[in-house]
Amino acid sequence: MKALIETIVTPLVDHPDDIVVTETEEDSKIVYHLTVNQNDVGKVIGKNGRIAKAIRTVVYAAKTETNKRIYLDIM
C-alpha cells in the first residue's frame, strides 16, 4: 500500500525525495500517514481537497488481505 501511495503522489510534487509514508496499525484499522515537503502540501491537497479526496478514493478501493479499514492522513 505504501508503494501505491508513493506512486500516486510522486508525479504531483516538486520534491519527490521528501515523500514519507508511515504505517500505524491498530485493532480495527490501518492508518497511513503521508508527509510531503511544505511547498508541496497544496499540490497534494488541491482546490477544496479534490486531489486528496481522489487519492483517498483510490487507496480505499485497493484490496488488502486483512479485513481492517484503511485510512490515509495527509500532513
Side-chain angles (χ1 to χ4, degrees):
M1 192 65 67
K2 289 181 181 182
L4 173 65
I5 296 169
E6 290 174 357
T7 302
I8 294 170
V9 174
T10 300
L12 299 174
V13 298
D14 291 333
H15 304 92
D17 297 334
D18 294 343
I19 296 173
V20 178
V21 180
T22 56
E23 177 181 345
T24 304
E25 189 167 344
E26 298 176 10
D27 293 335
S28 62
K29 63 182 177 179
I30 300 172
V31 180
Y32 291 96
H33 301 280
L34 171 65
T35 306
V36 296
N37 189 300
Q38 187 67 28
N39 297 328
D40 294 329
V41 173
K43 294 175 184 176
V44 174
I45 294 175
K47 282 189 176 180
N48 296 324
R50 288 183 183 159
I51 295 175
K53 183 178 178 184
I55 294 170
R56 286 187 178 112
T57 301
V58 171
V59 170
Y60 297 164
K63 296 279 185 177
T64 60
E65 296 176 2
T66 63
N67 290 333
K68 297 182 180 184
R69 302 267 307 163
I70 295 176
Y71 296 95
L72 177 62
D73 182 29
I74 300 174
M75 297 183 226

